[in-house]
Amino acid sequence: MSGPVSAHSGSLGGYAVKALLKRNEFYLAVLILVLCMLITAINPAFLSPQNILGFLKTASVNGIMAVGVLFVLILGGTPDLSFTAIAQVVEYVVVLITLAFGGNIVIALLLACLMGAAMGAVNGFVIHYFRVTTIIVSIATANLYYGMLYVLTGGSVIFIVHPMFKRFAEFQLVSFADAAGGTWGISLIPLMWLATLVLGWFILTRTFLGRAIFAMGGNEIAAQRIGINTLWVRVFVFAFVGLLSGVAAIAHTTIVLSAIPNSIVGKELEIIAAVVLGGASLFGGKGTITGTFLGVLLFAILRNGLVLLNISSYWYDVSVGIAITAGISISAWQQLKAQRARVNVNVEEAAAQ
């Protein structure tokens, strides 16, 4: 009995290893581990709890928006470029409204979500009814939203925000004291990112809506034939991106405690690169929450490591460019490989007949 069981267990183990080696998440995790070891060997302060919690807090803004970007890439492959403009407008408007009328962080968050969802839904309706590619529509709406913000505000910076944002930023679920007498702890902002990841994972893997998003990314015509309402799925995805942009805007406000009209716009390529590096396909129908998290985490560690090692920040821009190139190349290679596999199957079936 032990022989067959052992052989069966070995084959299962070998299959699991092969499956693991095919996943982007595995290589990202290894790369993150190696990068952490190199940075720590040069500057041990990298692994201090204060530093880790610090860069996780900062990365939360990009991480929240990255979940929305993942949904768009799964739906159709072409990235949305308007989500940072939506976040920028939402941040400025919410800060103005709370300064004028007061409120609390829950009301501010709800207002930000409603505004972001409405602005994102516009993309979904336009793309569906006019059949224009996502990148063209999102460039147009990004310029519209961002341009109107500058026209109406003159680009003025709001240096004072409602005190509730500071209270939210300073609140810690668990706090500790270090040897120097300072305090540090777990703030709510990284938990907002965690909640977004869990929500995204649940929608994509445990709901009919998630299966519909993957189906549309694989083949929209086939999705229509099996009864999927492609209009509302598309509108949901872009409204969801806008909603998460609103959440990110609140997180960003609590970190910087100001509203600067150009402080979020410009990060879209970095966020898209993180999602693509995490395994999302630029041809649609593929992507995971785990890969997106690891992609954002990799860039956060890299940015923090460059600061700790006193290396020019320009190298971070170089790394983003390399990541985008690598992600595009991997997606194209996987797509080509899948096409060749389908051609070979068709040829074999024709030869058999």
Side-chain angles (χ1 to χ4, degrees):
M1 290 293 291
S2 61
V5 171
S6 177
H8 181 65
S9 301
S11 63
L12 287 177
Y15 177 78
V17 171
K18 289 181 180 179
L20 184 64
L21 292 176
K22 291 180 180 180
R23 298 183 66 87
N24 286 63
E25 293 92 333
F26 171 76
Y27 296 101
L28 264 183
V30 171
L31 182 58
I32 289 171
L33 180 61
V34 171
L35 187 61
C36 289
M37 292 173 62
L38 289 174
I39 297 173
T40 304
I42 300 173
N43 190 339
F46 172 76
L47 281 185
S48 66
Q50 297 94 320
N51 183 63
I52 293 174
L53 290 174
F55 74 70
L56 285 177
K57 180 178 180 180
T58 304
S60 296
V61 177
N62 285 5
I64 292 169
M65 289 189 284
V67 175
V69 172
L70 171 65
F71 273 60
V72 174
L73 289 179
I74 292 174
L75 182 71
T78 308
D80 176 7
L81 296 178
S82 66
F83 62 93
T84 54
I86 292 174
Q88 196 73 75
V89 172
V90 169
E91 178 183 69
Y92 205 95
V93 172
V94 170
V95 167
L96 283 177
I97 291 176
T98 52
L99 284 175
F101 302 103
N104 56 54
I105 196 68
V106 175
I107 294 175
L109 187 58
L110 289 175
L111 178 61
C113 289
L114 288 173
M115 286 182 58
M119 295 167 73
V122 171
N123 285 339
F125 280 111
V126 173
I127 291 167
H128 184 86
Y129 282 114
F130 295 98
R131 296 298 172 182
V132 185
T133 58
T134 300
I135 193 167
I136 299 299
V137 173
S138 60
I139 288 174
T141 53
N143 280 278
L144 173 63
Y145 298 148
Y146 190 51
M148 288 300 296
L149 176 65
Y150 259 86
V151 168
L152 297 175
T153 66
S156 58
V157 178
I158 303 175
F159 292 102
I160 300 174
V161 298
H162 194 282
M164 66 177 172
F165 291 109
K166 185 176 181 180
R167 290 195 297 267
F168 184 83
E170 292 177 346
F171 181 82
Q172 295 178 341
L173 290 176
V174 182
S175 59
F176 306 91
D178 55 28
T183 59
W184 55 275
I186 301 174
S187 71
L188 293 173
I189 297 173
L191 295 182
M192 293 172 65
W193 181 17
L194 176 61
T196 303
L197 290 167
V198 172
L199 176 61
W201 171 84
F202 179 80
I203 292 173
L204 289 176
T205 63
R206 294 295 183 269
T207 67
F208 171 79
L209 180 59
R211 292 191 291 273
I213 293 170
F214 277 104
M216 284 183 62
N219 189 319
E220 184 171 343
I221 296 176
Q224 287 178 321
R225 288 175 177 171
I226 62 174
I228 293 175
N229 189 324
T230 56
L231 167 62
W232 292 112
V233 172
R234 180 173 281 110
V235 170
F236 167 81
V237 167
F238 284 94
F240 187 63
V241 175
L243 184 148
L244 294 185
S245 297
V247 175
I250 297 299
H252 186 260
T253 304
T254 61
I255 292 173
V256 301
L257 297 177
S258 61
I260 305 172
N262 60 355
S263 57
I264 302 177
V265 171
K267 294 183 178 181
E268 51 273 358
L269 288 182
E270 174 184 342
I271 297 170
I272 292 169
V275 178
V276 171
L277 198 61
S281 173
L282 291 172
F283 297 93
K286 182 182 177 183
T288 66
I289 289 292
T290 302
T292 296
F293 166 73
L294 291 174
V296 174
L297 183 63
L298 174 64
F299 282 129
I301 291 172
L302 183 61
R303 183 185 290 275
N304 182 254
L306 291 176
V307 173
L308 292 177
L309 302 180
N310 294 316
I311 298 174
S312 172
S313 60
Y314 292 119
W315 283 104
Y316 182 78
D317 297 329
V318 172
S319 67
V320 171
I322 292 173
I324 293 174
T325 303
I328 292 173
S329 301
I330 292 171
S331 292
W333 178 76
Q334 290 175 338
Q335 182 75 4
L336 183 61
K337 185 177 179 182
Q339 289 176 348
R340 287 176 176 173
R342 287 194 294 268
V343 169
N344 290 336
V345 170
N346 293 335
V347 170
E348 290 174 359
E349 290 177 349
Q353 294 174 358

